[in-house]
Amino acid sequence: MSATTAEPVETLIRHGWDVWEQGATTDYYADRLRDAVWELEEAVDYQRPGVDLLARRVVQALTIATGEEVDEVLEPMPTVAAWLGLDQ
């Protein structure tokens, strides 16, 4: 993972945990969000490949857990949107 990737991925991980801790969704969707964030965090910690794919899973889990569209989920995280190419 490059230095330019570190900030967006850490931002996404923090945001994912914040949403999960708020408990604003059903247990099923909260579990999916927790699992996605956990996998991403482990991939970053252990420098595993596929961080961008796991980050997209977190974004997907956030949209399901919050009921928001992708652009709404990523609005407070423009660096994440740009990194994933979802800022179009």
mmCIF file of all heavy atoms in Angstrom, residues 32-60:
data_model
loop_
_atom_site.group_PDB
_atom_site.id
_atom_site.type_symbol
_atom_site.label_atom_id
_atom_site.label_comp_id
_atom_site.label_asym_id
_atom_site.label_seq_id
_atom_site.Cartn_x
_atom_site.Cartn_y
_atom_site.Cartn_z
ATOM 1 N N ARG A 32 -22.528 -7.474 8.802
ATOM 2 C CA ARG A 32 -21.882 -7.409 7.489
ATOM 3 C C ARG A 32 -20.923 -6.241 7.414
ATOM 4 O O ARG A 32 -19.826 -6.366 6.862
ATOM 5 C CB ARG A 32 -22.939 -7.306 6.387
ATOM 6 C CG ARG A 32 -23.713 -8.605 6.219
ATOM 7 C CD ARG A 32 -24.697 -8.541 5.118
ATOM 8 N NE ARG A 32 -24.016 -8.309 3.835
ATOM 9 C CZ ARG A 32 -24.652 -8.253 2.682
ATOM 10 N NH1 ARG A 32 -25.955 -8.392 2.638
ATOM 11 N NH2 ARG A 32 -23.992 -8.026 1.567
ATOM 12 N N LEU A 33 -21.322 -5.101 7.974
ATOM 13 C CA LEU A 33 -20.455 -3.935 7.993
ATOM 14 C C LEU A 33 -19.216 -4.210 8.838
ATOM 15 O O LEU A 33 -18.090 -3.943 8.419
ATOM 16 C CB LEU A 33 -21.205 -2.705 8.522
ATOM 17 C CG LEU A 33 -20.388 -1.428 8.682
ATOM 18 C CD1 LEU A 33 -19.762 -0.999 7.359
ATOM 19 C CD2 LEU A 33 -21.258 -0.327 9.268
ATOM 20 N N ARG A 34 -19.422 -4.762 10.025
ATOM 21 C CA ARG A 34 -18.298 -5.083 10.907
ATOM 22 C C ARG A 34 -17.312 -6.021 10.219
ATOM 23 O O ARG A 34 -16.107 -5.804 10.249
ATOM 24 C CB ARG A 34 -18.807 -5.712 12.201
ATOM 25 C CG ARG A 34 -17.675 -6.037 13.189
ATOM 26 C CD ARG A 34 -18.095 -7.017 14.244
ATOM 27 N NE ARG A 34 -18.452 -8.283 13.600
ATOM 28 C CZ ARG A 34 -19.443 -9.057 13.980
ATOM 29 N NH1 ARG A 34 -20.194 -8.742 15.009
ATOM 30 N NH2 ARG A 34 -19.708 -10.189 13.351
ATOM 31 N N ASP A 35 -17.823 -7.058 9.581
ATOM 32 C CA ASP A 35 -16.959 -8.030 8.908
ATOM 33 C C ASP A 35 -16.166 -7.378 7.772
ATOM 34 O O ASP A 35 -14.977 -7.652 7.609
ATOM 35 C CB ASP A 35 -17.779 -9.194 8.361
ATOM 36 C CG ASP A 35 -18.377 -10.059 9.463
ATOM 37 O OD1 ASP A 35 -17.980 -9.919 10.641
ATOM 38 O OD2 ASP A 35 -19.271 -10.873 9.132
ATOM 39 N N ALA A 36 -16.824 -6.518 6.997
ATOM 40 C CA ALA A 36 -16.151 -5.855 5.876
ATOM 41 C C ALA A 36 -15.046 -4.924 6.374
ATOM 42 O O ALA A 36 -13.935 -4.922 5.831
ATOM 43 C CB ALA A 36 -17.163 -5.083 5.033
ATOM 44 N N VAL A 37 -15.338 -4.144 7.408
ATOM 45 C CA VAL A 37 -14.340 -3.226 7.951
ATOM 46 C C VAL A 37 -13.187 -4.012 8.566
ATOM 47 O O VAL A 37 -12.012 -3.676 8.380
ATOM 48 C CB VAL A 37 -14.965 -2.250 8.975
ATOM 49 C CG1 VAL A 37 -13.899 -1.380 9.616
ATOM 50 C CG2 VAL A 37 -16.018 -1.384 8.315
ATOM 51 N N TRP A 38 -13.504 -5.059 9.277
ATOM 52 C CA TRP A 38 -12.486 -5.887 9.910
ATOM 53 C C TRP A 38 -11.531 -6.479 8.860
ATOM 54 O O TRP A 38 -10.318 -6.460 9.017
ATOM 55 C CB TRP A 38 -13.143 -6.996 10.699
ATOM 56 C CG TRP A 38 -12.232 -7.732 11.633
ATOM 57 C CD1 TRP A 38 -10.916 -8.028 11.455
ATOM 58 C CD2 TRP A 38 -12.583 -8.269 12.894
ATOM 59 N NE1 TRP A 38 -10.435 -8.735 12.523
ATOM 60 C CE2 TRP A 38 -11.448 -8.895 13.419
ATOM 61 C CE3 TRP A 38 -13.755 -8.305 13.617
ATOM 62 C CZ2 TRP A 38 -11.446 -9.540 14.647
ATOM 63 C CZ3 TRP A 38 -13.757 -8.947 14.833
ATOM 64 C CH2 TRP A 38 -12.615 -9.542 15.348
ATOM 65 N N GLU A 39 -12.103 -7.027 7.780
ATOM 66 C CA GLU A 39 -11.267 -7.601 6.723
ATOM 67 C C GLU A 39 -10.359 -6.549 6.093
ATOM 68 O O GLU A 39 -9.183 -6.819 5.821
ATOM 69 C CB GLU A 39 -12.139 -8.233 5.638
ATOM 70 C CG GLU A 39 -12.715 -9.565 6.023
ATOM 71 C CD GLU A 39 -13.490 -10.176 4.879
ATOM 72 O OE1 GLU A 39 -12.880 -10.387 3.803
ATOM 73 O OE2 GLU A 39 -14.690 -10.425 5.042
ATOM 74 N N LEU A 40 -10.913 -5.360 5.862
ATOM 75 C CA LEU A 40 -10.107 -4.281 5.288
ATOM 76 C C LEU A 40 -8.985 -3.882 6.239
ATOM 77 O O LEU A 40 -7.836 -3.736 5.830
ATOM 78 C CB LEU A 40 -10.989 -3.073 4.964
ATOM 79 C CG LEU A 40 -10.267 -1.829 4.452
ATOM 80 C CD1 LEU A 40 -9.485 -2.127 3.176
ATOM 81 C CD2 LEU A 40 -11.267 -0.697 4.246
ATOM 82 N N GLU A 41 -9.318 -3.742 7.496
ATOM 83 C CA GLU A 41 -8.315 -3.351 8.483
ATOM 84 C C GLU A 41 -7.190 -4.386 8.575
ATOM 85 O O GLU A 41 -6.012 -4.041 8.628
ATOM 86 C CB GLU A 41 -8.974 -3.153 9.840
ATOM 87 C CG GLU A 41 -8.107 -2.473 10.856
ATOM 88 C CD GLU A 41 -8.878 -2.052 12.085
ATOM 89 O OE1 GLU A 41 -9.835 -2.752 12.494
ATOM 90 O OE2 GLU A 41 -8.522 -1.010 12.641
ATOM 91 N N GLU A 42 -7.539 -5.660 8.549
ATOM 92 C CA GLU A 42 -6.524 -6.713 8.595
ATOM 93 C C GLU A 42 -5.655 -6.710 7.339
ATOM 94 O O GLU A 42 -4.440 -6.908 7.421
ATOM 95 C CB GLU A 42 -7.175 -8.080 8.777
ATOM 96 C CG GLU A 42 -7.623 -8.338 10.194
ATOM 97 C CD GLU A 42 -8.047 -9.780 10.410
ATOM 98 O OE1 GLU A 42 -8.349 -10.484 9.434
ATOM 99 O OE2 GLU A 42 -8.077 -10.190 11.580
ATOM 100 N N ALA A 43 -6.269 -6.474 6.190
ATOM 101 C CA ALA A 43 -5.505 -6.426 4.951
ATOM 102 C C ALA A 43 -4.487 -5.289 4.986
ATOM 103 O O ALA A 43 -3.351 -5.449 4.523
ATOM 104 C CB ALA A 43 -6.438 -6.260 3.754
ATOM 105 N N VAL A 44 -4.887 -4.164 5.551
ATOM 106 C CA VAL A 44 -3.969 -3.029 5.673
ATOM 107 C C VAL A 44 -2.867 -3.357 6.680
ATOM 108 O O VAL A 44 -1.688 -3.162 6.402
ATOM 109 C CB VAL A 44 -4.732 -1.752 6.091
ATOM 110 C CG1 VAL A 44 -3.769 -0.631 6.463
ATOM 111 C CG2 VAL A 44 -5.674 -1.311 4.986
ATOM 112 N N ASP A 45 -3.261 -3.860 7.839
ATOM 113 C CA ASP A 45 -2.287 -4.163 8.891
ATOM 114 C C ASP A 45 -1.246 -5.182 8.442
ATOM 115 O O ASP A 45 -0.071 -5.069 8.796
ATOM 116 C CB ASP A 45 -2.983 -4.680 10.150
ATOM 117 C CG ASP A 45 -3.779 -3.610 10.871
ATOM 118 O OD1 ASP A 45 -3.606 -2.410 10.556
ATOM 119 O OD2 ASP A 45 -4.576 -3.972 11.764
ATOM 120 N N TYR A 46 -1.669 -6.184 7.680
ATOM 121 C CA TYR A 46 -0.763 -7.255 7.268
ATOM 122 C C TYR A 46 -0.294 -7.116 5.821
ATOM 123 O O TYR A 46 0.285 -8.047 5.267
ATOM 124 C CB TYR A 46 -1.420 -8.618 7.496
ATOM 125 C CG TYR A 46 -1.703 -8.869 8.956
ATOM 126 C CD1 TYR A 46 -2.995 -8.846 9.448
ATOM 127 C CD2 TYR A 46 -0.661 -9.087 9.844
ATOM 128 C CE1 TYR A 46 -3.250 -9.055 10.797
ATOM 129 C CE2 TYR A 46 -0.904 -9.299 11.192
ATOM 130 C CZ TYR A 46 -2.203 -9.281 11.659
ATOM 131 O OH TYR A 46 -2.462 -9.478 12.995
ATOM 132 N N GLN A 47 -0.556 -5.952 5.239
ATOM 133 C CA GLN A 47 -0.122 -5.614 3.880
ATOM 134 C C GLN A 47 -0.506 -6.691 2.875
ATOM 135 O O GLN A 47 0.300 -7.112 2.037
ATOM 136 C CB GLN A 47 1.369 -5.335 3.859
ATOM 137 C CG GLN A 47 1.736 -4.169 4.738
ATOM 138 C CD GLN A 47 3.226 -3.906 4.780
ATOM 139 O OE1 GLN A 47 4.026 -4.676 4.287
ATOM 140 N NE2 GLN A 47 3.595 -2.783 5.373
ATOM 141 N N ARG A 48 -1.748 -7.124 2.950
ATOM 142 C CA ARG A 48 -2.262 -8.114 2.015
ATOM 143 C C ARG A 48 -2.729 -7.424 0.735
ATOM 144 O O ARG A 48 -3.118 -6.260 0.760
ATOM 145 C CB ARG A 48 -3.429 -8.873 2.644
ATOM 146 C CG ARG A 48 -3.013 -9.713 3.816
ATOM 147 C CD ARG A 48 -4.169 -10.514 4.357
ATOM 148 N NE ARG A 48 -3.763 -11.253 5.531
ATOM 149 C CZ ARG A 48 -4.515 -11.411 6.598
ATOM 150 N NH1 ARG A 48 -5.723 -10.881 6.661
ATOM 151 N NH2 ARG A 48 -4.075 -12.103 7.624
ATOM 152 N N PRO A 49 -2.743 -8.152 -0.365
ATOM 153 C CA PRO A 49 -3.237 -7.562 -1.618
ATOM 154 C C PRO A 49 -4.757 -7.417 -1.589
ATOM 155 O O PRO A 49 -5.436 -8.034 -0.770
ATOM 156 C CB PRO A 49 -2.807 -8.577 -2.681
ATOM 157 C CG PRO A 49 -2.683 -9.870 -1.945
ATOM 158 C CD PRO A 49 -2.266 -9.513 -0.536
ATOM 159 N N GLY A 50 -5.268 -6.601 -2.489
ATOM 160 C CA GLY A 50 -6.717 -6.471 -2.630
ATOM 161 C C GLY A 50 -7.358 -5.441 -1.728
ATOM 162 O O GLY A 50 -8.565 -5.486 -1.511
ATOM 163 N N VAL A 51 -6.577 -4.503 -1.227
ATOM 164 C CA VAL A 51 -7.123 -3.488 -0.322
ATOM 165 C C VAL A 51 -8.220 -2.683 -1.005
ATOM 166 O O VAL A 51 -9.260 -2.404 -0.402
ATOM 167 C CB VAL A 51 -6.002 -2.569 0.222
ATOM 168 C CG1 VAL A 51 -6.558 -1.359 0.933
ATOM 169 C CG2 VAL A 51 -5.093 -3.354 1.149
ATOM 170 N N ASP A 52 -8.025 -2.338 -2.281
ATOM 171 C CA ASP A 52 -9.036 -1.543 -2.973
ATOM 172 C C ASP A 52 -10.345 -2.314 -3.127
ATOM 173 O O ASP A 52 -11.430 -1.749 -2.977
ATOM 174 C CB ASP A 52 -8.530 -1.036 -4.316
ATOM 175 C CG ASP A 52 -8.023 -2.148 -5.225
ATOM 176 O OD1 ASP A 52 -7.661 -3.230 -4.723
ATOM 177 O OD2 ASP A 52 -7.984 -1.924 -6.441
ATOM 178 N N LEU A 53 -10.263 -3.600 -3.395
ATOM 179 C CA LEU A 53 -11.472 -4.425 -3.501
ATOM 180 C C LEU A 53 -12.189 -4.503 -2.150
ATOM 181 O O LEU A 53 -13.419 -4.379 -2.079
ATOM 182 C CB LEU A 53 -11.120 -5.827 -4.000
ATOM 183 C CG LEU A 53 -12.282 -6.809 -4.135
ATOM 184 C CD1 LEU A 53 -13.274 -6.306 -5.172
ATOM 185 C CD2 LEU A 53 -11.756 -8.173 -4.518
ATOM 186 N N LEU A 54 -11.436 -4.697 -1.089
ATOM 187 C CA LEU A 54 -12.033 -4.748 0.250
ATOM 188 C C LEU A 54 -12.625 -3.397 0.638
ATOM 189 O O LEU A 54 -13.664 -3.338 1.307
ATOM 190 C CB LEU A 54 -11.002 -5.206 1.275
ATOM 191 C CG LEU A 54 -10.545 -6.654 1.119
ATOM 192 C CD1 LEU A 54 -9.348 -6.935 2.012
ATOM 193 C CD2 LEU A 54 -11.686 -7.614 1.420
ATOM 194 N N ALA A 55 -11.992 -2.318 0.204
ATOM 195 C CA ALA A 55 -12.532 -0.980 0.475
ATOM 196 C C ALA A 55 -13.881 -0.808 -0.220
ATOM 197 O O ALA A 55 -14.821 -0.236 0.356
ATOM 198 C CB ALA A 55 -11.555 0.088 0.019
ATOM 199 N N ARG A 56 -13.995 -1.310 -1.418
ATOM 200 C CA ARG A 56 -15.285 -1.244 -2.127
ATOM 201 C C ARG A 56 -16.349 -2.064 -1.401
ATOM 202 O O ARG A 56 -17.516 -1.683 -1.377
ATOM 203 C CB ARG A 56 -15.124 -1.719 -3.571
ATOM 204 C CG ARG A 56 -14.349 -0.739 -4.427
ATOM 205 C CD ARG A 56 -14.102 -1.289 -5.833
ATOM 206 N NE ARG A 56 -13.369 -0.346 -6.627
ATOM 207 C CZ ARG A 56 -13.909 0.641 -7.321
ATOM 208 N NH1 ARG A 56 -15.210 0.805 -7.322
ATOM 209 N NH2 ARG A 56 -13.159 1.479 -8.020
ATOM 210 N N ARG A 57 -15.947 -3.170 -0.802
ATOM 211 C CA ARG A 57 -16.894 -3.964 0.005
ATOM 212 C C ARG A 57 -17.383 -3.160 1.200
ATOM 213 O O ARG A 57 -18.552 -3.239 1.577
ATOM 214 C CB ARG A 57 -16.226 -5.252 0.512
ATOM 215 C CG ARG A 57 -16.368 -6.407 -0.412
ATOM 216 C CD ARG A 57 -16.023 -7.731 0.256
ATOM 217 N NE ARG A 57 -16.982 -8.059 1.299
ATOM 218 C CZ ARG A 57 -16.664 -8.685 2.433
ATOM 219 N NH1 ARG A 57 -15.430 -9.038 2.671
ATOM 220 N NH2 ARG A 57 -17.583 -8.945 3.320
ATOM 221 N N VAL A 58 -16.490 -2.398 1.818
ATOM 222 C CA VAL A 58 -16.883 -1.558 2.952
ATOM 223 C C VAL A 58 -17.875 -0.496 2.489
ATOM 224 O O VAL A 58 -18.891 -0.258 3.149
ATOM 225 C CB VAL A 58 -15.660 -0.915 3.644
ATOM 226 C CG1 VAL A 58 -16.092 0.112 4.674
ATOM 227 C CG2 VAL A 58 -14.799 -1.990 4.286
ATOM 228 N N VAL A 59 -17.605 0.122 1.354
ATOM 229 C CA VAL A 59 -18.530 1.130 0.826
ATOM 230 C C VAL A 59 -19.893 0.494 0.560
ATOM 231 O O VAL A 59 -20.935 1.054 0.920
ATOM 232 C CB VAL A 59 -17.968 1.791 -0.452
ATOM 233 C CG1 VAL A 59 -19.014 2.671 -1.113
ATOM 234 C CG2 VAL A 59 -16.718 2.602 -0.124
ATOM 235 N N GLN A 60 -19.900 -0.679 -0.025
ATOM 236 C CA GLN A 60 -21.155 -1.382 -0.283
ATOM 237 C C GLN A 60 -21.874 -1.695 1.027
ATOM 238 O O GLN A 60 -23.085 -1.497 1.151
ATOM 239 C CB GLN A 60 -20.896 -2.664 -1.061
ATOM 240 C CG GLN A 60 -22.168 -3.430 -1.375
ATOM 241 C CD GLN A 60 -21.887 -4.721 -2.105
ATOM 242 O OE1 GLN A 60 -20.825 -5.326 -1.937
ATOM 243 N NE2 GLN A 60 -22.829 -5.153 -2.918
#
